Amino acid sequence: MTGICWLLLAGLASAVFAEPMVHFREQFEDGDEWQTRWVESKHKSDYGKFRLTAGKFFGDEEKDKGLQTSEDAKFYAISSRFEPFTNEGQILVIQFTVKHEQNIDCGGGYIKLFPADLKQEEMHGDSTYFIMFGPDICGTGNKKVHVIFNYKDKNHLINKDIRCKDDEFTHLYTLIVHPNNTYEVKIDNAKVESGTLEEDWDFLPAKRILDPNATKPEDWDEREQIDDPDDRRPDDWEEIEHITDPDAKRPDDWDAEMDGEWEPPMIPNPKYKGIWKPRKIDNPNFKGEWVQPEIDNPEYVPDDKIYKYENIGVIGLDLWQVKSGTIFDNFLITNDEILAEEIANETWGVTTEAEKKMKELQEEEEKKKQDDKDEKSTAEDKVAVEEEEEEEVEADEEDDEEKEPDEDEDVEEEEEEELEETEKTESSPKDEL
Ligand SMILES: *[C@@H]1O[C@H](CO)[C@@H](O)[C@H](O)[C@H]1NC(C)=O
Ligand SMILES: *[C@@H]1O[C@H](CO)[C@@H](O)[C@H](O)[C@H]1NC(C)=O
Ligand SMILES: *[C@@H]1O[C@H](CO)[C@@H](O)[C@H](O)[C@H]1NC(C)=O
């Protein structure tokens, strides 16, 4: 075999059987040590603080610990670095979990993948990134999964709508980018969207365009039917709609000098047949609707490396949150889809059910407590109402004697004041005159 053949084979082998590689993994399972791996940006002085917690309910208090946004109405900017790599010829999987346990109203839940040359302490909303991926919620209308790719220095949003989860539980978000320029988005380990990068983003101009130079030929006949040129109006066809009444007579006492020239009234023509129209026949010259022909777009240049990034080196959270409390955990960047799914099963997969149970239990307890409280306060209210009624009766008796005259005086005074004011407003125009 020639060297080139060997090279080709080796290239194929590395693309298909790439060694499983974990570029980044963060589980937050070593106490405060995460602070040595994550760098908070100092670009602004008032970024919100992240804290380590499993939150109000969880499947496993240790395993479910993650970074939680802890202050309302704040920007957040934090990132972590890893050995730079390129995804050329490799699958790229980005995976993490998001839990909006605060019942989020408006806030980001996405990650950004940055080039290795990012200055982490200066990271901010406008820092150049390669990929932005994850849920974003604002109000009831905007609940989507962002998948934004930077291509030739421009950010491109996916042109499909992927709805994100908006409940209070932990959800797993996975983006897979294949080196054949296809992608897949999974939520909770199930595919929710997939396709090709070229079709679902506008990275490249359209492959085909309408030929701007093509125009409809002047003799192009688009009329499916025409009037029959051989059809003639019958001689007795009556087209006059109204005629003078042949039976009308000038009244005997008509005085032409006084009343003007007498004219007989008009009546509908009994023979009237409407406007005559020739019958329709199929147009022998009919050519169908003219369609602007398409041509290959001269601007289109294919790119089989749309997916490719050099020097991927930082993952970060760059967010705005109105209501804080979101917990991020289980970050993973790898070149192996199966491995990502396995890890997902071993992390999110084993705690998700227990998390739901704990929340249900908490809600039941909460409801019980509330019911008890309601019952108690109803009982208290009853006693209070009875006491109040007794007091009121006593007070009313006093009122009858003392308060009423005072009140009447007040009313009179008010009325007097009002009267004065009306006089004033009414008198002022007079004064001017
Ligand atoms: C692209 O690659 C993925 C993963 O290898 C494969 O499942 C998919 O069928 C490929 N798609 C195309 C259009 O070649
Ligand atoms: C349209 O015609 C002009 C002039 O002949 C030519 O230069 C141009 O390339 C044509 N455009 C396309 C898209 O074919
Ligand atoms: C992950 O778990 C699901 C559900 O139990 C299972 O169907 C799937 O095969 C698992 N995936 C891997 C890679 O182990």
Side-chain angles (χ1 to χ4, degrees):
M1 258 189 216
T2 65
I4 285 173
C5 263
W6 276 115
L7 269 180
L8 271 175
L9 271 181
L12 274 176
S14 74
V16 180
F17 308 107
E19 280 288 299
M21 217 20 202
V22 172
H23 299 290
F24 182 77
R25 189 166 178 195
E26 176 63 84
Q27 298 292 139
F28 302 103
E29 283 175 5
D30 53 1
D32 290 338
E33 284 299 302
W34 66 274
Q35 287 166 344
T36 64
R37 298 185 295 268
W38 291 78
V39 176
E40 289 187 74
S41 172
K42 295 185 172 60
H43 181 79
K44 284 158 72 96
S45 57
D46 61 344
Y47 281 120
K49 286 270 167 242
F50 282 100
R51 65 171 164 227
L52 190 72
T53 174
K56 292 181 285 191
F57 54 92
F58 37 77
D60 181 309
E61 185 157 21
E62 276 314 302
K63 287 194 174 126
D64 287 352
K65 274 188 180 149
L67 287 191
Q68 182 180 45
T69 57
S70 70
E71 296 169 78
D72 291 349
K74 287 276 187 190
F75 284 101
Y76 291 84
I78 198 167
S79 63
S80 188
R81 190 174 282 288
F82 45 84
E83 193 64 38
F85 71 96
T86 173
N87 63 330
E88 181 164 15
Q90 304 250 329
I91 289 168
L92 174 63
V93 185
I94 304 166
Q95 184 168 277
F96 62 104
T97 55
V98 185
K99 177 196 193 192
H100 293 309
E101 69 168 18
Q102 76 277 39
N103 192 7
I104 196 165
D105 49 359
C106 186
Y110 41 78
I111 61 93
K112 285 180 177 178
L113 206 58
F114 294 97
D117 62 11
L118 175 83
K119 292 192 178 68
Q120 287 176 269
E121 297 212 334
E122 285 167 32
M123 188 260 270
H124 59 98
D126 291 328
S127 301
T128 300
Y129 60 85
F130 289 144
I131 297 174
M132 179 172 134
F133 169 62
D136 190 19
I137 293 180
C138 208
T140 47
N142 185 358
K143 297 184 175 181
K144 63 177 159 198
V145 178
H146 278 297
V147 191
I148 301 177
F149 289 104
N150 185 295
Y151 180 71
K152 299 196 167 155
D153 295 329
K154 248 189 89 190
N155 293 336
H156 296 258
L157 276 74
I158 189 169
N159 55 32
K160 279 179 174 166
D161 234 15
I162 311 178
R163 214 182 143 79
C164 69
K165 297 286 182 184
D166 61 354
D167 58 37
E168 294 159 46
F169 299 107
T170 301
H171 292 288
L172 179 78
Y173 287 85
T174 309
L175 171 66
I176 304 164
V177 183
H178 294 128
N180 61 9
N181 291 309
T182 62
Y183 76 99
E184 188 174 321
V185 172
K186 299 201 289 182
I187 299 180
D188 297 345
N189 251 344
K191 181 171 96 177
V192 293
E193 197 53 85
S194 66
T196 72
L197 299 183
E198 195 168 330
E199 278 168 35
D200 292 352
W201 284 261
D202 58 353
F203 300 122
L204 307 178
K207 252 186 192 153
R208 304 268 296 167
I209 52 165
L210 295 175
D211 183 354
N213 289 345
T215 49
K216 183 163 78 173
E218 277 182 14
D219 62 349
W220 189 279
D221 203 338
E222 287 186 336
R223 297 170 304 160
E224 204 168 340
Q225 290 212 311
I226 52 165
D227 293 347
D228 182 355
D230 297 330
D231 196 14
R232 294 269 172 277
R233 187 171 77 172
D235 289 340
D236 62 348
W237 189 278
E238 196 64 65
E239 281 191 345
I240 297 166
E241 198 172 349
H242 289 94
I243 52 167
T244 54
D245 184 354
D247 298 331
K249 290 210 171 53
R250 197 178 91 151
D252 290 339
D253 59 350
W254 188 272
D255 182 341
E257 257 176 43
M258 291 273 292
D259 304 329
E261 200 64 41
W262 179 80
E263 275 173 24
M266 301 297 279
I267 55 162
N269 182 357
K271 291 185 188 154
Y272 175 66
K273 286 195 160 174
I275 302 297
W276 181 84
K277 282 192 196 122
R279 68 167 167 265
K280 295 277 182 191
I281 56 164
D282 287 344
N283 180 1
N285 295 322
F286 176 59
K287 287 196 167 168
E289 199 185 325
W290 186 77
V291 179
Q292 183 124 14
E294 285 190 353
I295 53 165
D296 286 339
N297 183 357
E299 316 249 290
Y300 174 82
V301 182
D303 182 357
D304 62 358
K305 296 264 165 67
I306 298 174
Y307 74 95
K308 190 193 80 169
Y309 294 102
E310 296 287 349
N311 223 22
I312 306 168
V314 177
I315 187 171
L317 298 169
D318 164 41
L319 315 162
W320 159 255
Q321 288 211 325
V322 175
K323 198 158 143 197
S324 64
T326 303
I327 299 176
F328 297 89
D329 193 12
N330 301 307
F331 292 97
L332 176 70
I333 303 173
T334 175
N335 65 350
D336 192 316
E337 287 181 69
I338 306 292
L339 180 68
E341 198 178 301
E342 266 170 23
I343 289 176
N345 280 354
E346 289 159 12
T347 54
W348 171 83
V350 297
T351 56
T352 180
E353 285 310 317
E355 179 188 89
K356 286 203 180 82
K357 283 235 171 65
M358 181 161 176
K359 173 124 174 72
E360 268 167 33
L361 277 176
Q362 283 180 354
E363 275 169 3
E364 269 167 35
E365 268 170 37
E366 197 55 40
K367 191 169 174 300
K368 227 169 102 197
K369 252 192 237 159
Q370 192 59 43
D371 286 351
D372 287 353
K373 222 167 120 195
D374 287 351
E375 230 168 73
K376 215 172 139 203
S377 64
T378 324
E380 277 169 6
D381 280 353
K382 240 184 187 169
V383 175
V385 166
E386 277 162 14
E387 279 171 8
E388 258 174 45
E389 275 169 0
E390 272 168 34
E391 275 169 22
E392 266 171 32
V393 172
E394 281 165 25
D396 279 355
E397 279 165 6
E398 280 170 26
D399 279 356
D400 285 346
E401 288 159 18
E402 289 169 21
K403 291 212 174 119
E404 269 179 13
D406 290 351
E407 275 171 17
D408 282 351
E409 263 170 43
D410 284 348
V411 171
E412 271 163 30
E413 269 170 34
E414 268 170 37
E415 278 174 358
E416 267 168 39
E417 272 167 28
E418 264 173 42
L419 215 73
E420 271 171 35
E421 276 187 15
T422 20
E423 274 168 9
K424 265 184 225 152
T425 48
E426 280 178 359
S427 68
S428 35
K430 275 181 214 153
D431 289 348
E432 275 168 32
L433 286 172

